């Protein structure tokens, strides 16, 4: 799971950051996601000051023997984009746009830059008031299933 997290992180840094500016306009700034703000697991927001934080949370794994000595592994993640530091109306638009940018990037390159066999976007959940204080933060949680292969010598 940790290796796949690194694939996802590098994909966000290249593919999502590569298109995020296309989602910005005069009323909604879209910030690049810095490597230090992409977290493996739950986020302690008190340790981050960035206006955009991405959490990649491992959920579960299943494997299936596709052929003798080769296994397909499906790994499920929740990829969350947490937006803060702007007025509420901007945060809601940002939340929707980060979700759309991630979806588009994955659909354009399901192999996550050639690092996995395939990936698939699942459900997206939107949280318009995700902070401890009202109207302070928004979040989008995106289900992502990643398929990899593992070969074992027989």
């Amino acid at each position: 799971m940790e290796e796949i997290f690194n694939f996802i992180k590098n994909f966000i840094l290249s593919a999502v950051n590569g298109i995020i500016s296309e989602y910005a306009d005069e009323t909604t700034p879209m910030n690049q996601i810095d490597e230090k703000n992409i977290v493996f697991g739950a986020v302690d927001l008190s340790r981050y000051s960035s206006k955009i934080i991405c959490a990649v949370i491992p959920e579960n794994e299943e494997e299936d023997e596709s052929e003798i000595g080769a296994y397909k592994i499906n790994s499920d993640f929740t990829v969350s984009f947490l937006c803060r530091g702007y007025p509420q109306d901007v945060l809601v638009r940002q939340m929707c746009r980060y979700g759309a940018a991630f979806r588009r990037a994955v659909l354009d390159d399901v192999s996550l830059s050639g690092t996995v066999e395939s990936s698939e976007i699942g459900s997206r959940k939107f949280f318009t008031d995700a902070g401890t204080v009202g109207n302070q933060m928004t979040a989008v949680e995106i289900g992502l299933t990643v398929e990899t292969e593992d070969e074992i010598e027989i």
Side-chain angles (χ1 to χ4, degrees), residues 121-140:
I121 293 286
S123 67
R124 287 171 299 219
K125 296 179 185 174
F126 297 92
F127 301 91
T128 57
D129 196 6
T132 54
V133 175
N135 300 323
Q136 166 189 62
M137 186 173 76
T138 59
V140 57

Side-chain angles (χ1 to χ4, degrees), residues 60-75:
N60 64 301
E61 270 186 332
E62 290 182 15
E63 61 182 81
D64 181 31
E65 187 173 14
S66 59
E67 53 187 72
I68 296 176
Y71 292 87
K72 288 188 183 218
I73 302 169
N74 287 320
S75 305

Side-chain angles (χ1 to χ4, degrees), residues 27-99:
T27 62
T28 309
M30 299 297 291
N31 303 306
Q32 295 278 310
I33 305 158
D34 294 332
E35 182 173 9
K36 66 182 180 211
N37 295 319
I38 302 175
V39 181
F40 186 46
V43 175
D44 177 357
L45 291 173
S46 68
R47 295 178 179 231
Y48 297 87
S49 59
S50 178
K51 292 182 178 185
I52 179 69
I53 301 162
C54 180
V56 180
I57 302 167
E59 299 291 344
N60 64 301
E61 270 186 332
E62 290 182 15
E63 61 182 81
D64 181 31
E65 187 173 14
S66 59
E67 53 187 72
I68 296 176
Y71 292 87
K72 288 188 183 218
I73 302 169
N74 287 320
S75 305
D76 295 324
F77 293 86
T78 298
V79 179
S80 300
F81 292 91
L82 309 160
C83 306
R84 62 186 182 173
Y86 292 101
Q88 176 68 12
D89 62 321
V90 175
L91 293 175
V92 170
R93 288 192 303 272
Q94 285 180 325
M95 165 192 70
C96 294
R97 293 176 189 190
Y98 278 106

